[in-house]
Amino acid sequence: MSTPPYAVGTSLDGAGDAPGAWRLAAASDLTAFDGRPARDAAVLAESAGLVFATLDDALALQPDEPGRVRGRLDALATACWLGPQTSRIGLLPTVTLTHTEPFHVSTATATLDLVSEGRAGVVVDVSTDAASAAAIGRRAPAPADVVWGQAEDVVEAVARLWDSWEDDAEVRDVATSRFVDRERLHYVDAPVRTGDPAPDGLTGAFTVRGPSIVPRTPQGRPVVAVRLPAGERPGSARWRASALRADLVLLGGSDLAGTQDPARLVRAGAEGRELRVLASLRVVLGDDDDHARRRAQELDALGTDDAPVFVGTAEALAAELVRTSTTAGGWLDGVELRPAVLADDLPRIARDLAPRLAAAGLLTDAPPGSTPPGSTLRSRLGLPRPASRYARAEVPA
Amino acid sequence: MSGPRQLHLAAFLQGVNHTTVWADPAAGSQVAFSSFEHMARTAERGTFDFFFLAEGLRLREQKGLIHDLDVVGRPESIAVLSALAAVTERLGLAATVNTTFNEPYELARRFATLDLLSGGRAGWNIVTSSDAFTGENFRRGGYLAHDERYTRAAEFAELAKELWGSWGEGAVLGDRASGAFLREEAVREVVHTGPQFDVRARATLPPSPQGRPVIIQAGDSEEGRTFAASTADVIFSRHSTREAGQAFVADIRGRAVSSGRRGDDVKVLPAVSWVLGDTAAEAAERAQHIRFQQVTPANAIAFAEQVWNRDLSDLDPDGPLPDVEPVEGELLSQGRAASRRIDRAAVSAQWRELSRSRGLTLRETAAEMSSHQSFVGTPEAVAEEMISFLDADACDGFVLTPHINPGGLDDFVDRVVPLLRERGRFRSEYTSTTLRGHLGLDGRPL
Ligand SMILES: Cc1cc2nc3c(=O)[nH]c(=O)nc-3n(C[C@H](O)[C@H](O)[C@H](O)COP(=O)(O)O)c2cc1C
């Protein structure tokens, strides 16, 4: 198997990944909730040749912790809004599966693929918190293992709906007055598994009849990503969902070295399925090490959390990324860089990091803009366009 | 405001109905974003109030098989409107979304996002459509009795409005020095316990520049009208003739006043179609041509089956009407609101009478009965007639339903809109940035 193209992405959330980023004078103003900070970042990331951009989300309002941004736009709708304002970058909003109808998840993410012309992905997540459960009011909160087990079933249902129209279902056959060939539309009757019993007495079992209302989209199936935080127990339901369902696994870790074992394990658990394993890392970049450290300290003074952070120069980061890449015999197919401050670290990524990665052959869109229009996110990740599971095998002539 | 009354205009993309002709050389993709962009940009060029999408959450079936004669397949509405918000600047963007297969917190949040991304241009057409057939696509499943649907819709809309209004004045501080992003006490927790919903939530977004999304309603039953007159900003009606429109407008204004609102707090916009020609004769000829494009021989049989509720596949579309009686009972056609409540005896009698009196074949009769061509004529005649509806208080404007996607709105915007503007009956440019503003509802209670 040849080495897949290396994929560099960015996160677009808020004013940056550092909790206090919004408080810096240079940070974009978040108070209007009009999407502009995310749009400006996505456009810059695209022009720097990055492959994808993620948008974080959760159902409930962020808890009241001092110094934190609270409030946000729905990530999936925001990604749709970014679609026509970008042309090459993949868009991966977080979508939570615990409370949302699988049918709505499927049709809305398929629509992202339509409006972005084949650049849709989705970072699937769950809700374990009491606030989300109370906001919806249909079920009690449940622990991660339970809701991730259910999420796996939801991903199955969603993917079956994406496949429920074969590619050539729309025939527009004037002679017979038929717009579609109904033989190529399929009931999905998902899922077959009934789900694990939850403590609240709900089984999590559900059925979805299908077919989808949305025809098959440019990528066939949007790219499915799962985040696997550092310390996640191999064998957990979330681990299983990553290994068995994800096209893209985003590994947290104290540093890039810390992702080596999880990467090996998740690949082993994939049972031969194609998947891309990426690290996810907050970055604080500086003109030199000293500058980067000063910036990190300044950010820490404004608010801290326990996210893994790379602090250093673009040159050092490039060297680490090259060393750990599968291209150079390492274990990573790419990286989600989470700029600590979008207004500062993303321009540094574009200006100082991207050219170095391009020189090392890790930036596929080099020079930036050379990616042919119409390239899908799948194609940029080196992932094949899947055939519909319902498509009949071609009858040999 | 002085001067003659002004029309409000919206463009409605039905999507999957037989009225959308797909076998015409001008027909394009019903799902490509470029189609939506073309239609929305055309509506914005025509300074329309809003662009509007229908909803249907299960592919229709007839005789147990997926109905394959009409356009099938469409994108999810809020997602596609969010994308359209990026390529339009002033046009209102409205989605039809039911209250049966959604939860208030989640849907309110999606609409709030669309409303903010578009700078205050979102609209929500609340429908209560629910049947067990559609319910099979949903985890919550489900069938609700007709009156219970409106209980749920009213409670749903009330909760959504509460959530949209729950961030008070000055809630967003964004104080970089102190690190206080929100003013905690200005963000109200919405606590609701009712027959349908038990919710405790803090919204994640402030009000948009128009306060909250515009509420549209399209129900027509007694419950539907009461709900609309007390809750909606706009009513999307099927009463598109002058007389029916007058009666409906009077009824709605009365109900609005009874619920403590001003009569014109609710704008009534009937769904209409149009066919233009350089002469009246040419328009009539085009209208006839379009009717037969809409009602193909196969579709004529399908329509008759929907009315008679029985298999009529042996009939000749160019022959006479069925000589058998309609049957009641399990529905042959699933996924259509109309075939549920139709009075089969009366409608089949109407078909027979029309066929007998004018000597029409089955297909000709079906084409007459299912055509909704409201305004047929020269651009001048159509403009005059539309204005006369407004002056007769038969509506506050129209929801235009083009029969071709994506170019079906072009001739109206190019040829009729300029005449409406010349006559001082329609805006020449936007004077407001929000949908609520376009509708003249700025400053009315939310
Ligand atoms: C002009 C018009 C357009 C409608 N469009 C839709 C639609 O797109 N999707 C839908 O599910 N129902 C649609 N409906 C149906 C009704 O809104 C729905 O059946 C209604 O809420 C049932 O209530 P009623 O019994 O009061 O009419 C439409 C109704 C009218 C009058």
Side-chain angles (χ1 to χ4, degrees), chain A residues 61-228:
Chain A
L61 183 64
Q62 298 92 324
D64 184 17
E65 290 165 13
R68 301 299 167 93
V69 174
R70 299 179 73 204
R72 67 176 138 214
L73 298 163
D74 176 77
L76 180 50
T78 307
C80 290
W81 179 73
L82 293 175
Q85 303 185 79
T86 50
S87 57
R88 296 184 302 278
I89 198 161
L91 299 165
L92 290 107
T94 290
V95 175
T96 55
L97 306 181
T98 305
H99 300 288
T100 305
E101 286 284 352
F103 196 83
H104 294 322
V105 173
S106 181
T107 57
T109 50
T111 301
L112 175 59
D113 209 35
L114 289 171
V115 301
S116 65
E117 295 177 331
R119 295 180 286 125
V122 52
V123 180
V124 301
D125 203 354
V126 299
S127 313
T128 53
D129 61 312
S132 294
I136 301 296
R138 278 182 55 77
R139 51 172 289 182
D145 251 9
V146 172
V147 289
W148 273 106
Q150 292 164 354
E152 206 192 318
D153 285 353
V154 173
V155 171
E156 169 71 15
V158 165
R160 286 193 196 183
L161 288 166
W162 287 335
D163 278 352
S164 63
W165 290 56
E166 292 182 40
D167 288 321
D168 48 4
E170 192 178 308
V171 291
R172 294 187 183 235
D173 182 21
V174 177
T176 59
S177 293
R178 288 176 318 143
F179 182 81
V180 284
D181 177 356
R182 58 165 79 105
E183 302 292 320
R184 296 181 219 180
L185 300 175
H186 302 274
Y187 298 109
V188 304
D189 291 320
V192 278
R193 215 162 69 104
T194 48
D196 306 314
D200 58 3
L202 285 173
T203 62
F206 64 94
T207 56
V208 174
R209 180 86 169 113
S212 180
I213 54 163
V214 188
R216 206 142 193 276
T217 63
Q219 295 190 100
R221 291 179 218 145
V223 170
V224 174
V226 180
R227 292 186 184 282
L228 213 45

Side-chain angles (χ1 to χ4, degrees), chain A residues 334-359:
Chain A
V335 65
E336 179 202 25
L337 299 170
R338 300 184 63 88
V341 182
L342 275 178
D344 199 338
D345 293 290
L346 189 57
R348 286 175 186 277
I349 288 169
R351 190 186 63 221
D352 305 332
L353 181 73
R356 289 186 161 88
L357 294 179

Side-chain angles (χ1 to χ4, degrees), chain A residues 256 281 283 285 310 313-322 337 353 357:
Chain A
L256 292 178
L281 192 64
V283 294
L285 299 178
F310 171 92
T313 61
E315 196 176 359
L317 179 58
E320 268 211 59
L321 293 176
V322 172
L337 299 170
L353 181 73
L357 294 179

Side-chain angles (χ1 to χ4, degrees), chain B residues 245-367:
Chain B
Q246 285 171 322
F248 185 71
V249 167
D251 179 73
I252 291 297
R253 302 241 193 276
R255 288 175 198 253
V257 171
S258 306
S259 62
R261 307 174 77 194
R262 284 172 25 184
D264 68 349
D265 281 353
V266 193
K267 305 296 174 196
V268 178
L269 309 181
V272 296
S273 65
W274 72 97
V275 181
L276 303 180
D278 289 338
T279 62
E282 190 195 308
E285 204 172 297
R286 281 198 64 214
Q288 171 85 357
H289 174 70
I290 292 166
R291 281 203 295 279
F292 281 100
Q293 283 187 310
Q294 291 169 327
V295 182
T296 59
N299 241 338
I301 301 283
F303 280 127
E305 288 181 338
Q306 285 157 28
V307 174
W308 267 261
N309 199 36
R310 58 192 294 169
D311 183 359
L312 298 172
S313 49
D314 288 344
L315 285 192
D316 175 5
D318 297 319
L321 264 52
D323 54 8
V324 292
E325 291 310 307
V327 295
E328 296 298 338
E330 197 181 334
L331 288 182
L332 205 74
S333 169
Q334 293 277 12
R336 289 170 201 273
S339 59
R340 182 157 298 284
R341 48 171 171 244
I342 168 180
D343 178 348
R344 296 180 198 290
V347 176
S348 59
Q350 259 179 302
W351 281 52
R352 287 208 169 108
E353 175 52 27
L354 182 68
S355 167
R356 195 193 50 75
S357 64
R358 292 180 40 198
L360 303 182
T361 64
L362 172 60
R363 183 181 176 199
E364 289 163 342
T365 309

Side-chain angles (χ1 to χ4, degrees), chain A residues 24 59 70 100-101 187, chain B residues 61 105-106 139 176 184:
Chain A
L24 294 174
L59 265 184
R70 299 179 73 204
T100 305
E101 286 284 352
Y187 298 109
Chain B
E61 292 187 4
Y105 176 82
E106 194 170 26
R139 187 146 71 173
R176 297 181 193 220
E184 186 62 17

Side-chain angles (χ1 to χ4, degrees), chain B residues 12 14 53-56 74 96 98 125-129 146 149-150 217-225 236-238 271 337 341:
Chain B
F12 185 54
Q14 271 186 315
L53 298 173
E55 180 185 67
R74 52 178 151 201
T96 302
N98 76 85
N125 180 29
I126 303 181
V127 293
T128 61
S129 336
H146 188 271
R149 288 197 243 154
Y150 275 105
Q217 224 283 318
D220 200 31
S221 59
E222 180 64 27
E223 297 92 329
R225 290 182 182 204
F236 181 28
S237 107
R238 60 175 113 247
R341 48 171 171 244

